[in-house]
Amino acid sequence: MKLPTLTALLLVCSSAFAQQPARQDLNQLKLTVEQFLQSQVAGMAGQISVAVGPIDQRMSLAACPQPQAFFMPGARAWGKTTVGVRCAAPSAWTVYIQANVSVQADYVASAVPLAQGQPIEMSQLVMVRGDLTTLPAGVATDINQIIGRSSNVSLAAGTPMRLDTLRSKPVVQSGQLVKLVSGNASFRVSSEARAVATASEGQMVAVRTASGTQVTGIARAGGLVEVTF
């Protein structure tokens, strides 16, 4: 049997190599994820940093001219997250890549222990810089959001101030003489009454009129209570 020549063998090997499909550049996937996250955090306050996790170099994917990054439902560019990258053509595939988004910014914390239910003063607060993504949701970043409000629980010094755990500043105090405004779109009548309870802006509060009748209205700033018919 005639053996193939060296030239023939080289031609066969070259042909086989040429027929192998191109493989996806994994570094390009990492860049795709980074650019996607950077677009998601554009305009966000604070010092933003994006770190894409390592990609398994053993992964073999067909080359994709336009890989598309996307979020799974519920995922977002905040803290530890996962970004999907998919290819539609010429070969369909999807991979998921871990990443971390850090947001360094100032937030409000208690400078001293705070008692439950007591109005909070500016001297009891301090601005602290940290990674917001590692803190509970709803942490205040503006000290004016806290002043005058009170906490639902007692807080230790250094506790991040969460807006959802604070009561709004009362606009009507129990026993306070208030202006009771009642009526509808056609007419309005005002009179004096005394608040039966303490209430914040927009809350319902009971008041007692000079005749002793108790009615309920909506507390407004300036010691005003609205009753609509």
Side-chain angles (χ1 to χ4, degrees), residues 185-199:
S186 302
F187 74 96
R188 293 173 71 84
V189 177
S190 63
S191 60
E192 285 191 341
R194 194 167 296 277
V196 177
T198 299

Side-chain angles (χ1 to χ4, degrees), residues 105-178:
D106 294 332
Y107 64 91
V108 188
S110 54
V112 296
L114 299 178
Q116 176 183 357
Q118 293 299 311
I120 301 171
E121 301 176 357
M122 180 176 288
S123 61
Q124 298 174 309
L125 302 171
V126 64
M127 297 301 295
V128 180
R129 193 162 188 84
D131 185 356
L132 299 186
T133 69
T134 65
L135 299 175
V139 171
T141 56
D142 182 352
I143 205 165
N144 293 314
Q145 295 175 298
I146 308 300
I147 297 172
R149 302 179 71 173
S150 60
S151 176
N152 293 330
V153 296
S154 296
L155 300 175
T159 303
M161 303 300 296
R162 292 172 48 191
L163 295 173
D164 59 350
T165 64
L166 301 176
R167 300 185 188 129
S168 298
K169 182 179 179 179
V171 294
V172 171
Q173 299 281 355
S174 178
Q176 175 185 348
L177 197 62
V178 299

Side-chain angles (χ1 to χ4, degrees), residues 15 22 30 36 40 48 56 70 94 98 116 121 155 197-198:
S15 177
K30 192 170 185 177
F36 172 73
Q40 295 293 311
I48 315 297
D56 188 352
F70 65 95
T94 302
Q98 302 295 313
Q116 176 183 357
E121 301 176 357
L155 300 175
T198 299

